[in-house]
């Protein structure tokens, strides 16, 4: 199955999120990428698959989540690095600039990450979605300074991220110890 789309449902209830995830997987042929609690007491379910299947799954999750729904998203033609960074399987180069985009929401972090990696020759190191972060999220990306700067600029300006960026930074030459601690 071609994995071109990403879909996510976020609820303000763990039980509602699990129920929504079950409905999502039963209604469409999608692969489960993430199903986990996030701060503060919310739950996310992320799926991938072809665009039509992901849309059907997200629609079912939204309907099931009902009054507990916080947010949802569908990104057709999502960049493959987004999956790797969310799952923690990205292969990161040893050096280069470090970019950080910190967001107030999970969905805005995913939108910003996808836009950033499509805009410049960068590597997504990690997308951290709300776990232990009080509901915030962030993405770490690496590459040469100009590419990282452009990726951060584009990620911050994505229409779904306006007003949702907490802070961003580009560190041209991160100290090896901070790089090792983060990546």
């Amino acid at each position: 199955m071609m994995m071109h789309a990403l879909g996510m449902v976020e609820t303000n209830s763990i039980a509602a999120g699990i129920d929504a995830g079950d409905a999502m997987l039963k209604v469409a042929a999608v692969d489960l990428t993430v199903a986990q609690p996030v701060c503060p007491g919310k739950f996310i379910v992320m799926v991938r698959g072809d665009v039509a299947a992901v849309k059907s799954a997200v629609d079912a999750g939204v309907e099931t989540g009902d009054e507990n729904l916080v947010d949802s998203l569908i990104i057709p033609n999502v960049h493959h690095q987004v999956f790797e960074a969310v799952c923690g399987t990205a292969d990161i180069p040893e050096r280069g600039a470090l970019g950080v985009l910190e967001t107030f929401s999970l969905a805005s972090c995913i939108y910003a990450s996808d836009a950033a990696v499509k805009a410049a020759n960068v590597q997504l190191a990690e997308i951290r979605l709300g776990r232990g972060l009080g509901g915030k999220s962030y993405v770490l990306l690496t590459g040469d300074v100009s590419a990282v700067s452009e990726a951060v600029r584009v990620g911050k300006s994505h229409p779904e991220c306006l007003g949702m960026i907490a802070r961003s930074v580009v560190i041209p030459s991160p100290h090896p110890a901070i790089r090792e601690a983060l990546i």
Side-chain angles (χ1 to χ4, degrees):
M1 171 188 332
M2 295 294 289
M3 303 294 178
H4 294 294
L6 171 81
M8 185 180 81
V9 170
E10 177 183 356
T11 62
N12 62 10
S13 160
I14 294 166
I18 293 169
D19 192 24
D22 183 63
M24 293 168 74
L25 295 171
K26 286 178 176 174
V27 77
V30 292
D31 286 342
L32 180 64
T33 302
V34 173
Q36 66 187 25
V38 294
C39 292
K42 298 188 289 184
F43 197 87
I44 60 167
V45 179
M46 191 178 301
V47 296
R48 64 183 183 172
D50 69 55
V51 176
V54 167
K55 181 174 180 349
S56 293
V58 169
D59 288 348
V62 166
E63 182 178 333
T64 304
D66 195 24
E67 72 272 356
N68 295 110
L69 184 71
V70 173
D71 206 351
S72 65
L73 68 78
I74 298 171
I75 303 177
N77 300 313
V78 68
H79 197 284
H80 70 90
Q81 284 190 44
V82 172
F83 295 116
E84 296 165 2
V86 165
C87 295
T89 60
D91 184 28
I92 308 307
E94 291 290 321
R95 39 184 214 283
L98 176 65
V100 183
L101 276 164
E102 177 185 0
T103 67
F104 290 115
S105 78
L106 284 69
S108 61
C109 186
I110 294 171
Y111 281 122
S113 300
D114 186 57
V117 74
K118 287 176 178 174
N121 185 21
V122 295
Q123 177 71 40
L124 298 181
E126 180 181 13
I127 299 173
R128 177 72 58 95
L129 298 175
R131 295 182 76 187
L133 302 171
K136 286 184 176 181
S137 295
Y138 67 87
V139 58
L140 302 174
L141 48 100
T142 64
D144 68 47
V145 176
S146 62
V148 169
S149 296
E150 177 64 5
V152 167
R153 185 193 68 74
V154 169
K156 287 176 19 178
S157 65
H158 188 282
E160 297 291 336
C161 300
L162 298 179
M164 298 305 293
I165 303 296
R167 184 130 170 22
S168 65
V169 66
V170 174
I171 303 170
S173 182
H175 190 280
I178 196 72
R179 182 179 192 79
E180 185 177 321
L182 295 173
I183 300 177

